[in-house]
Amino acid sequence: LTPSAVQGKISKLKNELADAESYARSANMNDPAERVFCAVFASYQRELQRANAFDFDDLIAQTVYLFRAFPQVADVYRRRFRHILVDEYQDTNHSQYALIHELTRPPGSDG
C-alpha cells in the first residue's frame, strides 16, 4: 500500500460513487491490506470532514449526492441550463455520467 496506490484506489472508488463505509461493507476483511486500506480511507474521509473540505473527486460525487437528496436543488440547475455539452463523452466515468443524468432529467422528476 503505497500512498500513490491508496490515492488512486480512493479516487477510483469515489468515481464509482462508493464511500468509505459502503466499500468497507463489501471488502474482504480477511485480507490485511484491505483492512488497512479501509482504515486509511475512513480516516481520510474523517479528516476531510473535519477540515470542512472536499477532494477533487468529491466535487462531482457530492454534487450527485446533493441532487439525489434534494431534488428541488437539482431542479434549479435543470431549469437553468437548456443544453449541456459533454466533451469526450466516451471517457466519462460513473460519477460524471450520474451528474449528467441528474442534470438532464426533467425538472420535478424524482426517479
Side-chain angles (χ1 to χ4, degrees):
L1 290 176
T2 65
S4 176
V6 169
Q7 177 188 18
K9 189 170 181 176
I10 288 173
S11 178
K12 181 179 180 295
L13 288 167
K14 286 185 175 190
N15 285 324
E16 294 171 0
L17 297 177
D19 60 16
E21 290 177 14
S22 66
Y23 180 76
R25 284 193 298 271
S26 64
N28 176 8
M29 291 304 194
N30 293 323
D31 179 350
E34 276 293 284
R35 281 197 311 272
V36 170
F37 173 79
C38 288
V40 170
F41 191 7
S43 178
Y44 175 68
Q45 285 304 114
R46 280 192 304 275
E47 287 301 311
L48 283 173
Q49 277 188 319
R50 188 182 64 72
N52 201 24
F54 286 158
D55 65 16
F56 186 76
D57 298 305
D58 286 331
L59 296 175
I60 293 176
Q62 293 298 324
T63 302
V64 172
Y65 299 146
L66 172 75
F67 286 176
R68 289 178 177 173
F70 300 96
Q72 68 278 15
V73 173
D75 281 345
V76 169
Y77 293 94
R78 290 175 184 142
R79 288 185 178 99
R80 184 173 181 179
F81 301 108
R82 185 170 179 195
H83 302 284
I84 297 174
L85 174 66
V86 180
D87 190 27
E88 300 289 336
Y89 181 80
Q90 72 276 8
D91 295 329
T92 57
N93 61 38
H94 180 72
S95 64
Q96 292 165 339
Y97 173 80
L99 178 59
I100 295 162
H101 178 75
E102 291 299 323
L103 285 170
T104 58
R105 289 174 39 197
S109 66
D110 37 331

